[in-house]
Amino acid sequence: MDEDGARRAARQHAETARLLGVDFVPMYRLPPDGTASGPAPVAPMAPIIEAKPADVLYQRAALPVGSKDKLKALDALRARYELEAPHKGFVTAFTNIVFGEGDPNARLVFIGEAPGEEEDRTGRPFVGRSGDLLTKMITAMGLSREQVYICNLLKTRPLNNATPTPAEAAACAPYLFEQIEIINPDAIVTLGLPAAKAVLQCDGTMGGLRSRWGNMLLPGGTRIPVMPTYHPAYLLRNYNPETRAKVWADLQLVMDKLGLKPAATPTPPPGNGPG
């Protein structure tokens, strides 16, 4: 990487660390040889104020680019990710980088925490049982997978599907933030608590975050409305009427915001079983 590229990457990482409002002392996993890994601790910063209700108007940056331009930008970002390899310091055992897929001009983006075993094998986000359920959720919203964009905070599978550490999240977040800035969607749905906390730069429980709109504040100043909800894997483990109704209520708020009409027969919660 040349000097200008190094400076640009450093500014990007510093800006994202500030946006994330990091207020922890990172605890890193140790690889088998006992050497420490992960980025250096970041000084505490105050988190961004929680977003206002969904009906508040928000100003978005104008990005007059078409799908082909966005595809080129996403391809270039992936190439830079592969070159810089922020995961090189992680304790991980991955086969494929799972960068993201879908419509680069999508109005709606779904963000999870990290690839799992099936995602790592195929190189695609949200496949297998969790992916099938997410597809049903998207279909019930009146959309298809091809009309949305799906990605994760981490682009490589953590060892044993472990929850991303704060250090791992901080290292990978700049690439996710740039990914979202390129797509520039009208709304985001975060799937699971780690994704919600990284995107909203806040702490809390899923029960306290879900069903309330927040904002993803990008380095360029753009604010994207965010709706946190449960991860499909959690929903599969707790496939009961109460949890299904909560997820469907969150998705309905997104549909209302985007002016979407539900499918004739909703298939996600409340709906038929996960199988």
Side-chain angles (χ1 to χ4, degrees), residues 137 191 210 229-231 234-235 242-252 268-270:
M137 292 160 61
L191 302 166
R210 60 160 293 273
T229 196
Y230 294 103
H231 194 284
Y234 174 85
L235 186 55
E242 181 181 2
T243 306
R244 290 157 61 189
K246 288 179 178 179
V247 173
W248 184 234
D250 296 339
L251 298 182
Q252 285 179 306

Side-chain angles (χ1 to χ4, degrees), residues 66-171:
S67 296
K68 290 184 179 179
D69 297 314
K70 290 186 177 184
L71 276 173
K72 289 180 181 178
L74 288 170
D75 288 344
L77 176 61
R78 174 170 183 149
R80 195 174 82 242
Y81 175 92
E82 292 177 354
L83 178 66
E84 296 174 351
H87 54 270
K88 63 181 176 289
F90 300 173
V91 178
T92 182
F94 73 94
T95 303
N96 287 300
I97 290 172
V98 184
F99 193 73
E101 70 174 25
D103 183 358
N105 223 25
R107 298 182 64 206
L108 179 60
V109 171
F110 291 85
I111 302 175
E113 60 185 76
E117 182 177 6
E118 190 66 13
E119 289 81 5
D120 177 64
R121 185 183 69 80
T122 62
R124 297 182 57 210
F126 283 92
V127 293
R129 294 183 70 226
S130 291
D132 289 343
L133 183 54
L134 177 59
T135 300
K136 290 180 180 180
M137 292 160 61
I138 294 169
T139 301
M141 297 174 73
L143 297 168
S144 67
R145 274 186 74 119
E146 293 74 24
Q147 291 177 295
V148 303
Y149 193 89
I150 305 171
C151 59
N152 286 297
L153 169 61
L154 268 59
K155 310 305 184 187
T156 56
R157 181 192 179 197
L159 190 64
N160 299 320
N161 291 348
T163 300
T165 66
E168 290 168 347

